Amino acid sequence: MNGARAAELAANLARVEERVTRACVTAGRAREEVTLVVVTKTYPAEDVRLLAGLGVRHVAENRDQEAAAKAAACADLPLKWHFVGQLQTNKARSVVRYADYVHSVDRVRLVSALSSAVVNAGRAPLKCFVQVALEKEEGAAGAEDGPGRGGAPPGGAAAVAAAVTEAPGLELAGVMTVAPLSGPYAGAPAAAFARLVNLARDLRRVDPAATMVSAGMSGDLEEAIAAGATHVRVGTAVLGVRPALR
Ligand SMILES: *Cc1c(COP(=O)(O)O)cnc(C)c1O
């Protein structure tokens, strides 16, 4: 059974790797410029272990409780853990115990909470991406729709980035987005990612070392790589379709 799952993951991973490589070739970029982050949410630690055996080195989770347990179960593996979900300030202490990167930093209050948690833990600096919600672009109709998936409005990203660079224990990695389902970029991932890359360029005035761009998932990794993404976050295409969203 484990063997069958290992074979399935290997085949899926090979297909994704081929897509990433082809997208890099098309964009005239080196394959090493793009890091594949495999999003393992809802899948068990055994799958993470199999993926590590297949050469995966970066994994992502979006819920602290699940992530903490999985990271503990996989502590012996040479993995970097990325946290990509909406994050409450009261979870900061837990997240800094296992996360190397947080992709969902979207407000100054969260910056403060992460900074205190890192300092108290006495750990290595936490790399932070400022998450940008392009559906909150100024003037966008329905910008306040729905419960929201997190992210700072584009006009607020620089303030969050500046807070990260000034916060002890934190390093500004760059910017992150999820292709919007509403607003001016709905159904236009290429345009959304181009906008994100422009914002990344602006933020490099705040911190020239913040060169990372986290964009692209199973359905739009090609558009993200074409736009300049350095990190693609791929779940479904590697692990399979997740059970209904919780
Ligand atoms: C789940 C998730 C992904 C992966 O999405 P897939 O479509 O399964 O590849 C990427 N980024 C974030 C923030 C996610 O929550």
Side-chain angles (χ1 to χ4, degrees):
M1 213 169 93
N2 214 32
R5 181 59 170 157
E8 182 184 10
L9 290 177
N12 290 349
L13 195 60
R15 265 192 297 270
V16 168
E17 180 54 43
E18 198 182 305
R19 285 176 63 190
V20 171
T21 299
R22 197 175 305 148
C24 286
V25 169
T26 303
R29 303 178 62 195
R31 172 65 189 86
E32 303 78 56
E33 289 178 42
V34 179
T35 299
L36 173 63
V37 182
V38 178
V39 184
T40 47
K41 65 188 183 197
T42 77
Y43 287 96
E46 293 77 60
D47 280 352
V48 178
R49 190 164 288 280
L50 291 172
L51 288 167
L54 293 166
V56 168
R57 291 296 172 262
H58 294 265
V59 293
E61 290 285 331
N62 73 334
R63 292 174 146 236
D64 171 59
Q65 215 179 350
E66 181 182 346
K70 247 181 258 184
C74 298
D76 58 312
L77 301 173
L79 291 169
K80 298 287 184 199
W81 290 83
H82 297 245
F83 191 86
V84 300
Q86 275 186 268
L87 187 51
Q88 294 168 272
T89 51
N90 63 1
K91 297 285 167 62
R93 268 184 53 193
S94 174
V95 166
V96 307
R97 286 197 199 107
Y98 57 84
D100 298 286
Y101 300 80
V102 173
H103 291 233
S104 45
V105 178
D106 60 359
R107 59 201 190 279
V108 172
R109 237 168 66 79
L110 179 57
V111 171
S112 309
L114 288 169
S115 173
S116 309
V118 169
V119 170
N120 285 333
R123 53 155 284 171
L126 177 70
K127 296 178 182 71
C128 297
F129 291 81
V130 175
Q131 182 178 354
V132 181
L134 293 167
E135 58 271 37
K136 295 177 187 163
E137 190 85 271
E138 206 173 323
E144 304 303 323
D145 274 2
R149 297 186 294 171
V160 179
V164 171
T165 60
E166 285 157 21
L170 305 186
E171 281 176 8
L172 185 64
V175 290
M176 175 275 216
T177 205
V178 177
L181 298 171
S182 63
Y185 297 103
F193 299 147
R195 175 78 175 104
L196 182 73
V197 168
N198 265 325
L199 269 168
R201 220 162 272 150
D202 293 345
L203 294 197
R204 250 171 273 141
R205 258 175 261 144
V206 176
D207 180 356
T211 55
M212 296 179 183
V213 176
S214 169
M217 317 199 302
S218 293
D220 53 20
L221 67 89
E222 283 85 1
E223 287 89 344
I225 290 170
T230 63
H231 290 69
V232 291
R233 311 176 308 269
V234 180
T236 310
V238 173
L239 288 129
V241 176
R242 289 179 292 276
L245 271 182
R246 299 166 302 165

